Amino acid sequence: MTDRPTSQLWRYVSDDDSSSLTLVVETPNGPYMRRIPPALPLPSGVDHGPGAEAAAHTAAATWGLPDFVFQQTAHASKGSGQRELGDRLLLAGQRGAVVQVKARTIPPKPDAEESGWIQKVAAKAMRQAKGTVRQLRLMPADMVNGRGRTLHVDGNAFEWIAVFLLDHHRPPQGTVALLEPIGMPAIALTRRDWDFLFDQLRSTTAVLDYLFRAAAAPAIPLGEEPVRYYEFAAADAAAPPGDIDTELVGPGGMLHSTPLLPQAPVGAATTRTHVVIRLVLEDVTTSALPSHASEADRHAILSDLDSLPVGDREEWGRLLLDMLDDVVQVPDDQLKWRFRRHLNAEATRQTIYACATRFDRDVQAIFGSYVQLRHHEIAERTGRPDELVTIGVMLTPNYGGKRPWDTSLVRTYGPSDLTEEEFTTLDRIWNRDHSQSTPN
């Protein structure tokens, strides 16, 4: 056991609402107050247990993305029986969470009995989570996400965590759910904790990353996850920037560091430009798939885009809007481009956002060539082409008035298929010193 990270945190529970929590966090810019509201209300007309599961699903789908939340499904087992594969699954990238929601549906008993009941249902939740992952590894299954779309899930393709999610009006103070080892990380949360994480981070990928991080730390009392979050956030804010070779992206590359866990909720700024990234994600999920693509491809693209650090999304949204406004400020016979690239610290995922004056087949082909070139360059410089994924997002103004932009995507991964001649040509086009405005 190790001590929890230290930070200056004060915890208050208001007299009129024992299910709310207020934290006063000391930051370099002065004290910051964060009120943690109660969990979302249960849906009406639904029994408490299923209602708690539905409310947890709603929080993850609303503040995260419905495409990453999968409902339980039935899978044939021995004889004529059916086996339920978990209450809910979160799947993003190569990480997955089995979420077991347990609700206290009767009035609480004395604290000692309540604590005993919590330990009992926590043990049951761990057994069910372990069974779900084992089943998915032995017999991959079709799962349905919050959009009603089906994804074939092979349990061997994911790194798993078990989440025991407790819906309880008032767990006894100081109760720690002792989770038995099940061969994978595990964490216990209240439903208020769960809602807080999704409201704070607004990204399923970021929540999954947090759950794995927190599960590696010592267990804490139920209901205190926001306190631990801010302890981690304070440690992130004080940590020195990571080291990355900026030359991997070529001349002009800059090292940019942002805390993994922001202290202010994502989107707290009054500009709300963070929603630009969410709108791009919605464009991807609401667009028809091309004939050669599958729902697995869509899920991979969404996961790649959702991996953009949440602390950067406000800035990126503002930049994209500025870029869109800029590319139309050219004569009709000109085509202007603006680009911004992000390469993660491991140099395994590159995201390219571009804005162009208009959209047509030629513009689409030009953008595809740019993405191919940048993918080839990073793969050559790292010497690890098998690990690299590059996704390109191009926004072009929509002049019809129904929406501000149209979104186009290019995704490539693995070794580059550019020939030496093709690379030389693209290098000459894109890497020479020239104006961003090009003739028609």
Side-chain angles (χ1 to χ4, degrees), residues 92-409:
Q94 295 179 317
R95 281 184 159 175
V98 183
V99 185
Q100 293 287 342
V101 183
K102 303 300 179 186
R104 191 51 156 162
T105 59
I106 63 174
K109 296 181 178 180
D111 284 358
E113 294 184 52
E114 284 302 293
S115 296
W117 177 83
I118 290 172
Q119 303 304 336
K120 179 180 178 181
V121 295
K124 181 179 180 181
M126 292 300 98
R127 292 193 299 270
Q128 290 174 325
K130 182 178 180 180
T132 292
V133 173
R134 181 176 62 244
Q135 188 77 0
L136 283 172
R137 285 173 173 164
L138 291 173
M139 302 180 67
D142 289 339
M143 310 293 287
V144 179
N145 68 17
R147 305 273 184 185
R149 294 170 177 154
T150 301
L151 183 71
H152 191 67
V153 178
D154 182 351
N156 299 291
F158 295 89
E159 178 187 12
W160 292 97
I161 185 171
V163 180
F164 163 47
L165 193 56
L166 177 66
D167 183 82
H168 195 294
H169 175 64
R170 190 183 301 169
Q173 188 172 2
T175 299
V176 177
L178 303 176
L179 304 180
E180 60 186 55
I182 56 172
M184 73 177 92
I187 189 170
L189 306 171
T190 65
R191 199 161 61 81
R192 183 189 65 188
D193 296 336
W194 175 264
D195 289 5
F196 159 76
L197 290 174
F198 275 98
D199 185 26
Q200 179 78 14
L201 295 170
R202 305 293 175 102
S203 162
T204 305
T205 300
V207 170
L208 279 170
D209 289 346
Y210 176 86
L211 293 176
F212 275 87
R213 178 180 178 180
I220 62 174
L222 287 163
E224 293 192 11
E225 202 60 50
V227 178
R228 174 158 61 183
Y229 175 94
Y230 276 105
E231 290 172 340
F232 283 167
D236 287 355
D243 186 28
I244 184 172
D245 182 5
T246 59
E247 292 300 313
L248 289 175
V249 295
M254 295 185 298
L255 176 62
H256 177 72
S257 178
T258 185
L260 292 174
L261 301 176
Q263 293 179 321
V266 172
T270 57
T271 61
R272 295 186 60 81
T273 50
H274 74 283
V275 301
V276 172
I277 303 301
R278 174 60 184 257
L279 291 175
V280 170
L281 290 168
E282 290 290 338
D283 286 344
V284 174
T285 196
T286 56
S287 299
L289 286 171
S291 58
H292 63 274
S294 66
E295 285 300 331
D297 295 320
R298 191 202 303 269
H299 188 266
I301 290 171
L302 290 170
S303 297
D304 290 338
L305 294 176
D306 195 50
S307 67
L308 181 68
V310 294
D312 286 339
R313 296 192 182 193
E314 189 84 26
E315 177 194 353
W316 276 68
R318 185 182 305 108
L319 175 68
L320 287 173
L321 293 179
D322 290 344
M323 287 164 56
L324 272 172
D325 184 62
D326 184 41
V327 295
V328 299
Q329 308 299 323
V330 295
D332 292 342
D333 62 342
Q334 296 283 311
L335 172 62
K336 187 169 188 178
W337 292 90
R338 292 283 304 275
F339 295 97
R340 166 65 73 91
R341 285 195 284 161
H342 175 269
L343 182 67
N344 67 356
E346 297 76 25
T348 57
R349 179 172 285 104
Q350 177 179 211
T351 305
I352 301 170
Y353 276 93
C355 292
T357 305
R358 60 182 177 275
F359 177 83
D360 55 37
R361 288 182 180 273
D362 290 340
V363 170
Q364 187 176 31
I366 292 170
F367 180 56
S369 74
Y370 181 89
V371 173
Q372 283 185 300
L373 174 65
R374 298 311 182 207
H375 181 84
H376 179 94
E377 289 173 336
I378 299 296
E380 289 292 306
R381 290 165 185 164
T382 63
R384 306 192 308 272
D386 291 334
E387 302 176 23
L388 180 62
V389 175
T390 299
I391 183 165
V393 182
M394 180 174 64
L395 306 184
T396 49
N398 181 295
Y399 298 101
K402 294 183 179 180
R403 47 185 292 115
W405 66 75
D406 293 316
T407 302
S408 304
L409 284 161

Side-chain angles (χ1 to χ4, degrees), residues 19-87:
S19 61
S20 68
L21 173 71
T22 299
L23 300 178
V24 180
V25 185
E26 286 295 328
T27 74
N29 297 321
Y32 172 78
M33 181 175 290
R34 176 74 159 95
R35 181 180 180 274
I36 316 299
L40 291 176
L42 301 181
S44 59
V46 181
D47 290 343
H48 191 157
E53 295 174 12
H57 179 112
T58 297
T62 301
W63 290 315
L65 203 68
D67 307 76
F68 297 140
V69 188
F70 290 80
Q71 296 192 42
Q72 63 185 15
T73 187
H75 193 77
S77 59
K78 295 180 180 180
S80 59
Q82 298 286 317
R83 173 165 177 77
E84 290 185 346
L85 297 181
D87 292 279

